[in-house]
Amino acid sequence: MKFFSASQEKLREMPIDMRQFLIFIKKEFYHITRDKWTMAVLLLLPILMLLLFGYAITTEVKNTRLAVYDPSHDKATEAIINKLQANDYFILSQILTEPNEIEKVFQEGDIGLVIVFGERFYENIMHTGEAQIQLITDGTDPNTATTLTNYAMNIISSYRLEILTTNNIPFQIVPNIKLLYNPQMKGAFNFVPGVMGMILMLICAMMTSISIAREKEMGTMEILLVSPMKPIFIILSKAVPYFVISIVNLTTILLISVFIMGVPIAGSFFWLITLSLIYIFLSLALGLLISAIVDSQLIALLISGMALMIPIIFLSGMMFPVENMPIGLRIISEILPAKWYIVAVKNLMIKGLGFSSIINELLMLSGMTIFFLAISLKKFKIRLE
Amino acid sequence: MKAISVNNIYRNYGDVEALIDISFEVEQGEIFGIIGPDGAGKTTLFRILTTLLLADKGSATVDGCDVIKDFKLIRNRVGYMPGRFSLYLDLTVEENLNFFATVFNTTIEENYYLIEDIYKQLEPFKDRRASALSGGMKQKLALCCSLIHKPTVLFLDEPTTGVDPVSRKELWEMLKKLKQQGISILVSTPYMDEAEMCDRIALIQNGNFLKIDTPKNIVNQFDNILWALSSNRMYDLLNDLRNHPKIKSCYAFGDSHHITISTDNFLLNDLNIFLNEKGHKDIEISPIKASIEDCFMQLTN
């Protein structure tokens, strides 16, 4: 009979605490790797979320079908129509011959924007300096409607500017909107930091709390407590595997976003990693806190889902701008760790700002980590209740 | 020094009193059985003694250590096997044992002689996951895991629940051997027939100890006339017997009903006539010796 492998011989020489700690971590990895579904979810979830938010759930307006009603058919209208088609935003799909078709194309549903030119468009510009153009969109989706009209307005203004300059008419100011840092309004720039904030919290807090709750539910916690192992080690060794998995996830997210989604790491890589490590510790501390309070896996799942994930999605500024929220929600958003993390990641990754831009966030996150760690250690039960 | 000493332990869960001023002592190297139905307070008692729960009142020591003050010492020394199967189902037999051996600062080799008898049966399945073991095998593995560090006191909460009769017998034989190694054992069971395997037993119900003594003494102290009856209509028989004024108590026991008689001048034949009048056939009545269960029933009355 052979119970010892070479590595176990080595283990014998280590201090007792270390040996217990290591075998516990080994056991945790067995749990994770032997449950194929959990394993798949843990490793594929970040990729799935990035792709989902990056490509499917997008607020970008692309390839909108355009219909045009153009009674003038002159130089100017043709030029504007060409300009509208010349980018990713619009595809000309229909030329309308009568105004009463407008209602119909919206009801059929695939047209996003209708452009109606006035009669004798070019002549009017040249002689009166005034020509009429009407943009019609579907107001049931106000966000998209605003974005679409803004795009179209920009394109039309740029044409106006061209005519004015070529015709030597005195200089006129044309409003020009420029988007800093993200000139193409790429959704990925916004979602990559958001997904990072969400995934790391999900893996660390949710998985850690569930796995501790499972020990309580299965009754193994009873045996572990009635053993020489220090209770605090039981908890800490639970955090280690999920720490490792979060590092793997962080790497995948960064690789995908840089090489596939084209989101740069404009600022300091070192501080980005440091910041993320602090955020991971913070999430682990939150997971430990949840597990200290609850006894069942389901409750652990619900609490981490309701209390952590949903606010991150809605209140962290990831999907909706925090500035537009009522004061109550803004206060909640201020105490969300994810909000601070996401802001700092945006500063570092997208804006390329240095360390000085994230000092506040770094301090806030470190403070929260210490706070949650202190509470969870205080709340930790060395008995069953 | 006593292996376990319990003084007026009281514990409640809200309005429910789980243990009411329990006191008892377990000698070194003794197998002490806590016998009682589900919900009697057995698990609460085990958890208080293994330092998992705090009693509301009273004190207790295990192996000379106070359960509150010296809880760390106790956790180093005792072995505990909870009532519910509590090992890692996704780990193999050997991985489970190795894990608990390391957690308890020892190795499988060091105390192998203690678990050898049981582990030999498990060895052909040592690479099988614990979830794929039968009920009896699971309990044997759990016992191995709680023994691997050679505890001074062993706490076994219902080790034979859900275990087949052959494995039950093997587990009890195992406990006898552990006793010879000087390990004191506190074991609980809802099965009254297992009581005689213990050196001493405590009968527990609704948080009260009804009696503490050796199984033999408890049986000998039974002072009623006890008959076992059966007929072709067992359910009607139970009702008829319970309605008879001279019958003190009547309980269903598997394939027969056990009754106790309140007066001496009621003879076996009188009962036979009574039951014949009630229309029972194939009547069998025989005087029997009391079992622990009979004693338990009498004490709860």
Side-chain angles (χ1 to χ4, degrees):
Chain A
M1 178 188 332
K2 188 171 164 293
F3 285 124
F4 284 86
S5 64
S7 66
Q8 276 170 317
E9 289 285 5
K10 245 181 255 166
L11 279 176
R12 281 295 274 169
E13 291 156 24
M14 290 182 182
I16 288 156
D17 284 350
M18 203 61 207
R19 256 165 55 209
Q20 292 173 335
F21 196 57
L22 285 181
I23 192 127
F24 210 107
I25 292 170
K26 195 166 139 195
K27 180 205 73 135
E28 284 309 307
F29 274 110
Y30 282 151
H31 289 325
I32 298 169
T33 52
R34 285 181 186 176
D35 185 353
K36 296 278 176 300
W37 281 106
T38 311
M39 188 71 184
V41 168
L42 288 180
L43 295 179
L44 296 179
L45 193 68
I47 301 173
L48 204 73
M49 277 200 169
L50 265 190
L51 297 180
L52 204 68
F53 282 115
Y55 294 110
I57 310 173
T58 174
T59 52
E60 280 178 68
V61 178
K62 253 186 190 174
N63 301 331
T64 303
R65 298 196 171 270
L66 185 73
V68 173
Y69 175 63
D70 179 12
S72 311
H73 268 302
D74 56 32
K75 207 166 121 185
T77 60
E78 256 165 49
I80 290 174
I81 292 168
N82 280 338
K83 259 185 161 318
L84 283 168
Q85 285 186 84
N87 56 56
D88 284 347
Y89 307 135
F90 300 109
I91 297 174
L92 181 63
S93 89
Q94 248 177 299
I95 306 279
L96 307 178
T97 47
E98 288 193 34
N100 56 18
E101 281 177 291
I102 294 170
E103 185 85 25
K104 211 180 85 199
V105 293
F106 274 117
Q107 281 167 1
E108 280 163 10
D110 48 328
I111 296 292
L113 177 72
V114 173
I115 297 200
V116 181
F117 292 98
E119 280 180 19
R120 290 185 300 170
F121 192 79
Y122 185 67
E123 271 182 57
N124 282 343
I125 295 180
M126 284 304 140
H127 298 128
T128 65
E130 256 187 44
Q132 287 186 347
I133 186 165
Q134 189 183 23
L135 306 178
I136 306 171
T137 60
D138 181 357
T140 51
D141 180 356
N143 287 336
T144 314
T146 320
T147 317
L148 282 178
T149 47
N150 282 341
Y151 283 164
M153 285 297 286
N154 274 352
I155 293 166
I156 292 162
S157 310
S158 73
Y159 172 73
R160 204 165 93 203
L161 190 65
E162 269 173 44
I163 301 181
L164 294 175
T165 43
T166 48
N167 288 293
N168 287 326
I169 295 168
F171 185 73
Q172 258 187 311
I173 294 167
V174 177
N176 179 8
I177 298 156
K178 189 177 164 200
L179 293 163
L180 282 173
Y181 312 120
N182 187 7
Q184 295 140 298
M185 278 183 72
K186 269 199 187 168
F189 282 49
N190 189 25
F191 282 117
V192 166
V195 169
M196 283 167 74
M198 211 158 82
I199 288 289
L200 296 179
M201 184 61 85
L202 188 77
I203 302 290
C204 296
M206 191 183 268
M207 297 310 295
T208 311
S209 61
I210 287 177
S211 96
I212 295 176
R214 181 165 50 220
E215 300 261 1
K216 292 186 184 175
E217 220 169 73
M218 299 293 292
T220 41
M221 193 55 114
E222 272 182 68
I223 305 186
L224 293 176
L225 285 175
V226 188
S227 82
M229 193 154 176
K230 290 197 182 74
I232 195 67
F233 274 11
I234 301 175
I235 299 307
L236 286 183
S237 43
K238 280 276 172 192
V240 172
Y242 294 105
F243 177 78
V244 173
I245 290 176
S246 343
I247 301 287
V248 173
N249 285 332
L250 182 65
T251 317
T252 351
I253 294 175
L254 289 178
L255 285 176
I256 291 182
S257 56
V258 170
F259 292 108
I260 297 178
M261 314 192 83
V263 180
I265 300 178
S268 157
F269 184 70
F270 172 78
W271 284 112
L272 179 64
I273 298 298
T274 312
L275 179 80
S276 300
L277 287 181
I278 293 177
Y279 184 67
I280 289 173
F281 284 128
L282 171 65
S283 311
L284 287 172
L286 268 174
L288 298 184
L289 180 59
I290 293 171
S291 68
I293 303 167
V294 305
D295 288 332
S296 87
Q297 294 183 67
L298 187 66
I299 308 285
L301 182 79
L302 285 176
I303 290 192
S304 34
M306 306 285 263
L308 298 177
M309 296 320 294
I310 293 177
I312 290 181
I313 296 172
F314 292 103
L315 300 179
S316 68
M318 175 188 176
M319 291 188 84
F320 310 108
V322 177
E323 294 76 14
N324 299 346
M325 291 175 190
I327 181 78
L329 290 179
R330 258 184 290 161
I331 290 170
I332 296 178
S333 120
E334 287 297 313
I335 56 168
L336 278 186
K339 184 240 163 189
W340 295 88
Y341 177 67
I342 292 172
V343 166
V345 170
K346 275 184 186 166
N347 283 352
L348 284 174
M349 260 182 100
I350 317 291
K351 297 189 192 168
L353 301 177
F355 170 63
S356 57
S357 73
I358 59 157
I359 290 177
N360 275 343
E361 283 79 10
L362 218 51
L363 287 177
M364 195 69 192
L365 289 172
S366 309
M368 284 177 173
T369 310
I370 294 166
F371 177 71
F372 286 126
L373 210 56
I375 301 188
S376 57
L377 290 186
K378 202 164 176 287
K379 283 256 170 205
F380 179 74
K381 290 173 233 159
I382 53 165
R383 294 192 166 82
L384 280 185
E385 48 166 38
Chain B
M1 186 185 60
K2 308 281 180 189
I4 300 171
S5 167
V6 176
N7 274 313
N8 295 312
I9 285 285
Y10 175 93
R11 166 78 205 206
N12 65 342
Y13 297 102
D15 291 338
V16 184
E17 292 179 309
L19 290 174
I20 304 161
D21 300 331
I22 297 287
S23 297
F24 69 101
E25 282 178 338
V26 177
E27 304 291 337
Q28 299 274 355
E30 186 181 29
I31 300 181
F32 192 96
I34 310 278
I35 320 279
D38 290 343
K42 299 192 296 286
T43 299
T44 306
L45 178 63
F46 272 74
R47 285 181 170 167
I48 288 173
L49 292 177
T50 51
T51 74
L52 287 168
L53 282 182
L54 294 175
D56 296 322
K57 277 180 256 168
S59 64
T61 62
V62 173
D63 204 20
C65 306
D66 185 84
V67 287
I68 299 166
K69 227 171 51 222
D70 307 322
F71 77 96
K72 278 183 188 158
L73 287 173
I74 293 178
R75 289 178 181 193
N76 268 300
R77 287 187 206 170
V78 304
Y80 172 45
M81 182 174 152
R84 211 155 35 108
F85 177 73
S86 308
L87 298 177
Y88 298 104
L89 295 173
D90 52 348
L91 262 55
T92 65
V93 169
E94 201 180 8
E95 282 165 351
N96 265 303
L97 193 56
N98 195 24
F99 173 74
F100 285 105
T102 312
V103 164
F104 280 99
N105 300 332
T106 182
T107 59
I108 300 176
E109 275 194 339
E110 210 167 298
N111 296 316
Y112 186 68
Y113 67 96
L114 265 181
I115 58 165
E116 194 172 1
D117 288 340
I118 322 177
Y119 194 66
K120 261 188 196 147
Q121 302 171 29
L122 286 164
E123 208 148 33
F125 315 109
K126 69 187 167 96
D127 293 323
R128 194 185 274 192
R129 298 219 178 146
S131 56
L133 294 176
S134 67
M137 284 291 185
K138 276 181 183 163
Q139 290 306 79
K140 282 174 193 166
L141 175 59
L143 184 58
C144 284
C145 289
S146 62
L147 269 177
I148 193 64
H149 58 298
K150 198 175 193 308
T152 52
V153 185
L154 188 58
F155 292 91
L156 306 172
D157 192 3
E158 300 199 6
T160 54
T161 301
V163 172
D164 63 278
V166 178
S167 299
R168 268 168 69 180
K169 200 158 165 276
E170 284 170 347
L171 277 165
W172 278 102
E173 273 160 17
M174 184 70 200
L175 297 191
K176 287 250 161 79
K177 276 187 189 152
L178 293 172
K179 180 193 155 169
Q180 280 156 22
Q181 299 278 349
I183 298 176
S184 319
I185 300 169
L186 186 70
V187 55
S188 74
T189 176
Y191 303 122
M192 305 280 170
D193 56 325
E194 289 181 341
E196 61 197 75
M197 315 292 269
C198 306
D199 296 324
R200 282 193 304 150
I201 56 170
L203 298 175
I204 184 173
Q205 201 196 25
N206 297 331
N208 284 300
F209 273 5
L210 306 171
K211 193 151 216 163
I212 305 172
D213 211 331
T214 63
K216 211 176 215 165
N217 281 345
I218 290 181
V219 171
N220 287 341
Q221 282 162 18
F222 190 83
D223 49 7
N224 281 303
I225 299 162
L226 187 70
W227 293 345
L229 285 95
S230 65
S231 81
N232 61 338
R233 292 173 12 238
M234 291 301 278
Y235 181 71
D236 293 334
L237 181 65
L238 190 68
N239 287 333
D240 290 339
L241 290 169
R242 281 188 175 160
N243 290 329
H244 195 286
K246 285 186 174 168
I247 293 172
K248 211 159 132 190
S249 71
C250 174
Y251 295 104
F253 271 67
D255 56 358
S256 65
H257 298 323
H258 290 190
I259 58 168
T260 52
I261 309 300
S262 49
T263 51
D264 286 344
N265 57 17
F266 184 64
L267 297 175
L268 220 143
N269 209 24
D270 301 332
L271 184 59
N272 214 335
I273 292 163
F274 165 75
L275 291 176
N276 264 321
E277 279 168 11
K278 288 275 178 187
H280 289 278
K281 294 205 173 92
D282 309 327
I283 305 164
E284 279 180 43
I285 311 176
S286 50
I288 49 162
K289 263 200 79 178
S291 66
I292 295 287
E293 193 163 357
D294 293 307
C295 301
F296 187 86
M297 291 306 188
Q298 192 191 27
L299 288 166
T300 52
N301 245 347

